[in-house]
Amino acid sequence: MSEAYRFGIEEEFFVVDAATYAVQRRMPGGFFDELKARLGTSVTVELLQAQLEMSTPPDTGMASARDHLRTLRGIAAEVAGGHGLAVIAAGTHPTAAWNGARSTPTARYEGVMADLQMIGERNMLCGLHIHVELPDPDMRVDVMRRLVPYVPHFVALSTSSPFWGSKRTGLMGYRLAAYNEVPRTGLPEMFEDNAAYERYLDAMISARAIADSSYLWWAVRPSRKLPTLEMRAPDSCTRVEDAVAIAALYRALVRFLVRHPHHNADVGAVDRAIADENKWRAQRYGVHGSFVDLAQRRAISVRDAVDGLIHVVAQDAEALDCLDPLLHVRTIAEAGTSADVQIAVFQEAQHRTGNRGEALKAVQAWLATTTMQ
């Protein structure tokens, strides 16, 4: 078992017109080629042409990961600007309409679209994915199961999708509500060990329901290509500091669960059901809501839940030299997420101009500017 707990961060972005902030449905010629020439394997296409993904290399330092994210965003902005484009980090684009979305013409994505049909077209969504190295497959599945009750914390801290189709959704994080239309999403199944997970996977592949484990899109999953456990629940974070803090929290939590194999060892169907309810509450209210606490049989505020999780993993965060960036999650819980700012910008602009369209454009401008700060 590696003691380094190396990690990597993957961020998904919307590609938009630099002047109007409207989502770019078809990539202009040369844009991605130029980006690929500058960033190499750090940039990849996504299911829809309106999106792209950028990833940091495996790392052990939060400061260097932060620098990588800033560099990647900066180069993307520079290349995009040369094509009259910009990039936005958010779980949903405030005004994008999903109908008419164009898929990326690759064999994998054409197969996905053929399978998902309209649901694939509605996947106008961007997430934050965090990999933490766990070379032992048995350990990956065990930690995945025991981590399920904490998934709502990551959802609440990352909410950046309060708008959908030019409308206030009433949710702080609408992305997962839309994403849950896709099969094999949501919380992972509670496999008792890696052998059970492999039996499930073998049956699915043998029946040609899926080609491989990369078609399991759970909120947290063992990676197919990498020796990692991948957190996929968070929205794409508009602010780099938020993404780094959430990655630090996840990394420290994984180390804690490895060091304490009895923690959540008896997690089962009831715990998963409570976690699913808390995930919904995180989507609906973000950091302003409360979670059902199964052990105490009462509601606790998200802020208290986040503080409790910080206390649990503090020693591991110190050992990984990531406590300082991790503590930023407390600031998020107290001051709000990207979704809070988006709503505040919208309300202020609508009050000032009396124009809903102008208010939405103000949100998009804030997203574009803050993504590149």
Side-chain angles (χ1 to χ4, degrees):
M1 174 63 65
S2 169
E3 292 297 324
Y5 293 91
R6 293 192 303 168
F7 69 100
I9 301 172
E10 299 170 350
E11 296 188 301
E12 295 173 343
F13 299 88
F14 294 105
V15 181
V16 301
D17 183 278
T20 66
Y21 304 114
V23 73
Q24 189 75 23
R25 294 189 177 278
R26 185 192 293 272
M27 291 292 184
F31 166 63
F32 187 77
D33 290 340
E34 184 179 348
L35 200 56
K36 192 73 173 176
R38 294 281 300 275
L39 296 177
T41 56
S42 292
V43 63
T44 56
V45 294
E46 276 298 308
L47 176 62
L48 302 179
Q49 291 191 40
Q51 302 159 302
L52 59 85
E53 179 181 272
M54 295 189 290
S55 57
T56 66
D59 212 332
T60 58
M62 303 311 301
S64 56
R66 181 190 301 109
D67 291 343
H68 279 303
L69 291 180
R70 288 174 173 164
T71 298
L72 291 170
R73 291 188 182 201
I75 292 173
E78 180 183 334
V79 174
H83 294 268
L85 303 173
V87 293
I88 282 177
T92 57
H93 183 283
T95 63
W98 63 267
N99 49 317
R102 297 177 181 272
S103 63
T104 301
T106 67
R108 175 184 172 89
Y109 289 144
E110 286 174 356
V112 170
M113 290 298 289
D115 185 31
L116 297 183
Q117 295 291 302
M118 187 178 76
I119 292 174
E121 295 177 33
R122 286 172 55 82
N123 196 41
M124 190 75 72
L125 313 163
C126 288
L128 168 70
H129 304 159
I130 309 154
H131 290 261
V132 172
E133 189 175 41
L134 280 181
D136 184 347
D138 290 319
M139 184 65 72
R140 286 201 291 272
V141 172
D142 177 64
V143 171
M144 176 177 72
R145 179 177 59 84
R146 293 188 289 123
L147 196 144
V148 163
Y150 296 114
V151 169
H153 298 61
F154 293 91
V155 176
L157 289 165
S158 67
T159 51
S160 65
S161 48
F163 296 94
W164 177 257
S166 300
K167 295 180 180 179
R168 279 276 307 275
T169 64
L171 279 66
M172 303 300 284
Y174 180 75
R175 168 181 154 267
L176 288 182
Y179 195 57
N180 283 351
E181 293 183 338
V182 178
R184 302 177 298 280
T185 56
L187 298 177
E189 303 302 326
M190 306 300 281
F191 299 105
E192 60 269 24
D193 53 31
N194 187 56
Y197 168 71
E198 291 292 343
R199 287 198 302 275
Y200 165 79
L201 193 57
D202 179 66
M204 294 288 283
I205 294 173
S206 297
R208 298 185 180 180
I210 58 175
D212 55 59
S213 64
S214 68
Y215 291 81
L216 305 176
W217 297 303
W218 298 321
V220 56
R221 70 176 183 183
S223 173
R224 181 177 73 93
K225 293 182 178 180
L226 303 170
T228 63
L229 186 63
E230 179 188 8
M231 168 63 73
R232 299 170 48 84
D235 282 0
S236 181
C237 290
T238 311
R239 300 175 291 212
V240 168
E241 294 297 328
D242 293 2
V244 172
I246 289 168
L249 180 65
Y250 178 58
R251 185 181 176 213
L253 177 58
V254 169
R255 184 180 189 271
F256 170 82
L257 291 172
V258 169
R259 290 197 315 113
H260 296 85
H262 298 297
H263 185 86
N264 284 355
D266 59 349
V267 67
V270 175
D271 302 89
R272 188 183 187 278
I274 295 295
D276 208 29
E277 171 64 24
N278 288 340
K279 182 172 76 70
W280 153 249
R281 299 178 71 80
Q283 294 168 225
R284 171 65 180 87
Y285 301 104
V287 296
H288 307 289
S290 63
F291 289 158
V292 178
D293 188 302
L294 179 60
Q296 301 184 61
R297 298 171 61 89
R298 66 179 181 88
I300 63 168
S301 71
V302 169
R303 293 174 183 176
D304 286 346
V306 169
D307 272 341
L309 184 53
I310 291 171
H311 178 75
V312 165
V313 305
Q315 184 177 346
D316 296 273
E318 287 180 348
L320 295 171
D321 194 26
C322 66
L323 182 58
D324 284 346
L326 182 154
L327 290 176
H328 178 67
V329 299
R330 184 173 287 149
T331 301
I332 300 173
E334 293 174 353
T337 65
S338 170
D340 288 291
V341 181
Q342 289 180 55
I343 292 168
V345 169
F346 176 82
Q347 291 175 334
E348 189 279 329
Q350 188 172 42
H351 176 75
R352 175 170 43 82
T353 67
N355 186 303
R356 191 165 170 274
E358 288 299 316
L360 286 167
K361 189 169 183 179
V363 174
Q364 294 170 131
W366 179 84
L367 287 169
T369 300
T370 306
T371 296
M372 290 305 145
Q373 283 182 345

